[in-house]
Amino acid sequence: KQWLGQPPESMKEAIAQAYTGGRFELAQVGEVYGRGNGREIYAYDLSSAYPYAQSQGMPCMAHGAWTHYRGRDVQARVEKARYALVKARVFPGPQQAWGPFPWRDQDGDVTYPLTSPGTWVWRAEYMAAFEAPHCWKVKAKEAWIYEQRCDCKPFAEVPKAYALRVEIGKDGPGLAIKLGVNSS
């Protein structure tokens, strides 16, 4: 808790809009017959993906500040930032089955439209789409950029917890460690 901070009140709606959880799409439905010719089906599950991401340098939120930017230089600021919440516009681009960013409608449903006048996404999501212009055309309209002003490493102990979980197994106490770390 010593590394928690409160974002500006005017940022809270953007944070809520940017939260969507996991993303799953089906490009095709029905039975798949045979092997080869691109008919293989794969499923990937990363073991402890959230703790791994935490251990890679999630910021201390108690010793820093969020700054709001608009205007011409917002794109350059987002590119240089380590942490940002970006309001991104999606323009018509090459034909795709779905768009790059989530859109939460007034009922709370989430879709991925091919165009959008502006939706809030985290920097990593924005940069993935921005760096794939062959897939999508996106533009940063505004951004909240976070600057950490300390050397705190809030999740430095996560790899030790993961090693303990591996040592004692995935069930029982190991499951408690997994759920505890994943909920941090």
Side-chain angles (χ1 to χ4, degrees):
K1 290 185 177 182
Q2 71 264 30
W3 295 297
L4 289 177
Q6 288 297 316
E9 189 64 34
S10 56
M11 186 183 176
K12 290 185 178 181
E13 185 176 330
I15 292 170
Q17 288 180 15
Y19 176 75
T20 58
R23 178 176 180 172
F24 301 91
E25 288 100 2
L26 296 173
Q28 183 176 346
V29 295
E31 294 187 44
V32 177
Y33 299 99
R35 296 189 59 113
N37 299 322
R39 294 188 176 147
E40 291 83 6
I41 297 176
Y42 300 95
Y44 298 100
D45 182 21
L46 301 177
S47 180
S48 297
Y50 291 123
Y52 175 78
Q54 290 170 340
S55 73
Q56 297 304 300
M58 296 291 290
C60 167
M61 302 304 289
H63 307 113
W66 289 100
T67 305
H68 187 239
Y69 295 96
R70 287 186 180 171
R72 291 185 226 210
D73 65 340
V74 72
Q75 177 66 40
R77 289 181 184 276
V78 168
E79 288 181 43
K80 291 178 187 174
R82 184 158 183 200
Y83 309 106
L85 184 57
V86 183
K87 188 164 194 178
R89 183 168 182 190
V90 180
F91 295 92
Q95 186 60 37
Q96 297 291 321
W98 43 74
F101 303 135
W103 175 266
R104 187 178 299 277
D105 68 20
Q106 61 194 23
D107 296 327
D109 296 327
V110 176
T111 58
Y112 291 83
L114 294 174
T115 63
S116 168
T119 189
W120 288 99
V121 295
W122 293 101
R123 182 189 182 276
E125 296 168 291
Y126 175 78
M127 292 306 297
F130 179 77
E131 293 170 352
H134 58 284
C135 296
W136 299 289
K137 294 179 184 192
V138 298
K139 180 180 180 184
K141 294 176 65 172
E142 59 184 286
W144 284 94
I145 294 177
Y146 185 74
E147 183 179 334
Q148 183 175 334
R149 298 178 179 153
C150 67
D151 293 326
C152 299
K153 300 197 181 335
F155 297 98
E157 300 298 314
V158 168
K160 292 178 187 175
Y162 179 75
L164 178 61
R165 176 182 166 229
V166 169
E167 181 182 322
I168 64 176
K170 291 185 174 185
D171 297 322
L175 180 60
I177 292 170
K178 172 187 175 178
L179 297 176
V181 172
N182 281 353
S183 67
S184 322

